Amino acid sequence: MILETKRLILRPWSEDDAEECYKYAKDPRVGPAAGWPAHKSVEETREIIMTVLAVPETYAVVLRETGLPVGSVGLHFKSDLARGEDECELGYWIGEPYWGAALSPRPRASCCAAPSRTSA
């Protein structure tokens, strides 16, 4: 599924996003705030894209004007915070250069407005 706002495109992650993602994921201010350690290499980022981020209902947050990912947003079912069948956890991160750019409310709202995996 691809979701679009005026400024952003939310789309599935691709292995090809590894270098761009690593630019932000290596920053020690980004990962730990989102609950994961800063990435140590592009190869590590590529592996995380393929094993963690490339799952249903997790999206690359892509700037429409550049076509490049600057963060991630996703709905996580059966997490530590979402234990019931009708619960999910919303997780997101945005690269530091885009903090304060009013980007994070848009992907969160779009992701929550999308049909859930249990909707008919």
Side-chain angles (χ1 to χ4, degrees), residues 5 8 15-16 24-25 33 37 41 49 55-56 64 67-68 72 80 95-96 101 103 107 112 117 120:
T5 71
L8 301 172
E15 192 173 348
D16 295 337
Y24 308 114
S41 68
I49 287 172
V55 297
R64 183 180 290 278
L68 299 173
S72 185
D80 290 341
E96 188 275 332
L103 294 181
C112 289
R117 66 184 174 125

Side-chain angles (χ1 to χ4, degrees), residues 10 73 90 104-114:
L10 307 183
V73 64
L90 175 68
S104 63
R106 288 170 175 79
R108 291 188 317 225
S110 296
C111 193
C112 289

Side-chain angles (χ1 to χ4, degrees), residues 2 12 18 38 74 77-78 80-81 98 112 117:
I2 297 176
F77 297 89
K78 305 282 187 190
D80 290 341
L81 298 176
Y98 300 96
C112 289
R117 66 184 174 125

Side-chain angles (χ1 to χ4, degrees), residues 16-107:
D16 295 337
D17 295 323
E19 287 193 36
E20 198 64 29
C21 181
Y22 176 67
K23 287 171 35 177
Y24 308 114
K26 69 181 180 182
D27 187 330
R29 296 169 293 176
V30 174
W36 42 269
H39 294 192
K40 294 178 176 40
S41 68
V42 173
E43 293 74 26
E44 178 184 16
T45 299
R46 183 173 287 109
E47 180 68 20
I48 289 170
I49 287 172
M50 300 314 294
T51 60
V52 177
L53 299 176
V55 297
E57 306 200 50
T58 297
Y59 305 93
V61 176
V62 177
L63 288 179
R64 183 180 290 278
E65 65 186 55
T66 65
L68 299 173
V70 297
S72 185
V73 64
L75 296 174
H76 307 285
F77 297 89
K78 305 282 187 190
S79 72
D80 290 341
L81 298 176
R83 296 186 185 111
E85 288 296 317
D86 61 344
E87 297 179 356
C88 69
E89 176 184 359
L90 175 68
Y92 72 93
W93 61 268
I94 298 290
E96 188 275 332
Y98 300 96
W99 292 359
L103 294 181
S104 63
R106 288 170 175 79

